[in-house]
């Protein structure tokens, strides 16, 4: 028998090598498992050996996929307990936008402008619903947050930025829309991180910010969506102007 024929016969008798799934295939396989089984945030995932068997993947491939999905907050690893479906938050988006904003002297201004536009779009677009849905108790809390901003601005306390953020979070709360809430919070996170690098906020701006927030509260209390929308525009327009001025200086 010729050498070539013996080699063919020998190869035919040996088991075929099983192709290991690529990393992205393993990532997609875990995501498909979550969707197929209708798992919710906090639900447990199979053990690592079970995932390896189900996906036909090596342990190293599964571990790498878990790391990728953890970074995206799709899964959560609780050491000593196991792997669970994550909160599915927008933390990856926040990290990406923040890094983009800090990466270059020009991008930070563009990121700021984009965030302001999106935040105003959310709030103005929901003006009628918000004015109708905010309860008397929530309006009182909004008023209290404006008072917190006044005290912080007058040097009587800390937390101007925290009060401002809480104000806008509460403003959108009646919508009951988790996606809008997460997006708004994500954009605010990026804004807070990037803003100090712009050096564009003065005491005069602080006073104007407080006054505009008070006008928003007054419009909500009067159940006046048109005035509410105008108050929001006047709140965000000076911010855009400060960004433009800072960009021109740089």
């Amino acid at each position: 028998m010729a050498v070539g024929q013996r080699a063919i016969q020998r190869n035919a008798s040996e088991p075929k090598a099983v192709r290991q799934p690529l990393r992205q295939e393993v990532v997609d396989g875990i995501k498909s498992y979550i969707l197929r089984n209708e798992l919710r945030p906090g639900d447990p995932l199979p053990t690592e050996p079970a995932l390896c068997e189900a996906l036909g993947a090596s342990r190293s491939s599964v571990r790498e996929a878990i790391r990728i999905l953890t970074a995206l907050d799709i899964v959560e690893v609780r050491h000593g307990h196991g792997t669970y479906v994550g909160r599915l938050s927008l933390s990856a988006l926040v990290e990406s936008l923040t890094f983009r904003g800090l990466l270059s002297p020009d991008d930070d201004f563009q990121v700021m402008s984009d965030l302001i536009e999106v935040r105003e779009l959310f709030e103005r677009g929901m003006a009628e619903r918000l004015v109708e849905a905010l309860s008397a108790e929530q309006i009182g809390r909004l008023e209290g947050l404006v008072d917190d901003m006044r005290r912080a601005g007058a040097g009587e306390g800390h937390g101007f930025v925290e009060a401002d953020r809480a104000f806008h979070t509460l403003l959108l709360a009646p919508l009951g829309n988790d996606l809008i809430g997460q997006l708004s919070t994500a954009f605010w996170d990026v804004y807070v991180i990037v803003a100090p690098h712009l050096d564009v906020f003065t005491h005069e701006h602080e006073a104007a910010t407080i006054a505009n927030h008070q006008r928003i509260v007054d419009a909500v209390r009067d159940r006046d969506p048109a005035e509410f929308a105008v108050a929001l525009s006047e709140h965000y327009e000076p911010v855009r102007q400060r960004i433009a001025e800072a960009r021109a200086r740089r």
Side-chain angles (χ1 to χ4, degrees), residues 100-112:
R100 176 191 161 195
L102 299 176
L103 186 61
S104 77
D106 296 323
D107 278 354
D108 51 9
F109 294 112
Q110 187 59 51
V111 170
M112 291 275 283

Side-chain angles (χ1 to χ4, degrees), residues 113-123 183 187:
S113 296
D114 292 346
L115 297 182
I116 293 301
E117 183 174 352
V118 173
R119 285 178 58 198
E120 183 180 359
L121 179 65
F122 282 156
E123 295 171 355
L183 284 170
F187 295 140

Side-chain angles (χ1 to χ4, degrees), residues 179-199:
L179 180 58
I180 289 179
Q182 286 189 57
L183 284 170
S184 179
T185 300
F187 295 140
W188 184 261
D189 286 344
V190 178
Y191 177 87
V192 169
I193 293 170
V194 175
H197 295 263
L198 302 181
D199 190 26

Side-chain angles (χ1 to χ4, degrees), residues 46 169 175:
T169 300
L175 296 176

Side-chain angles (χ1 to χ4, degrees), residues 88-109:
L88 308 178
S89 71
L90 298 174
S91 58
L93 174 64
V94 174
E95 290 292 332
S96 177
L97 287 175
T98 301
F99 185 72
R100 176 191 161 195
L102 299 176
L103 186 61
S104 77
D106 296 323
D107 278 354
D108 51 9
F109 294 112

Side-chain angles (χ1 to χ4, degrees), residues 18 24 31 63 68 85 99 109 143-144 159 163 181 183 208 215 222:
V18 178
Q24 188 58 47
K31 289 160 65 177
R63 288 178 178 174
I68 293 171
V85 179
F99 185 72
F109 294 112
E143 183 81 66
L183 284 170
R215 185 176 178 183
D222 294 338

Side-chain angles (χ1 to χ4, degrees), residues 183-236:
L183 284 170
S184 179
T185 300
F187 295 140
W188 184 261
D189 286 344
V190 178
Y191 177 87
V192 169
I193 293 170
V194 175
H197 295 263
L198 302 181
D199 190 26
V200 294
F201 199 70
T202 67
H203 290 296
E204 290 75 15
H205 295 143
E206 187 177 86
T209 298
I210 294 171
N212 287 328
H213 281 77
Q214 183 62 60
R215 185 176 178 183
I216 292 170
V217 174
D218 293 340
V220 173
R221 183 178 286 111
D222 294 338
R223 305 298 181 183
D224 187 342
E227 172 63 16
F228 179 81
V230 171
L232 283 171
S233 293
E234 295 196 2
H235 168 44
Y236 286 115

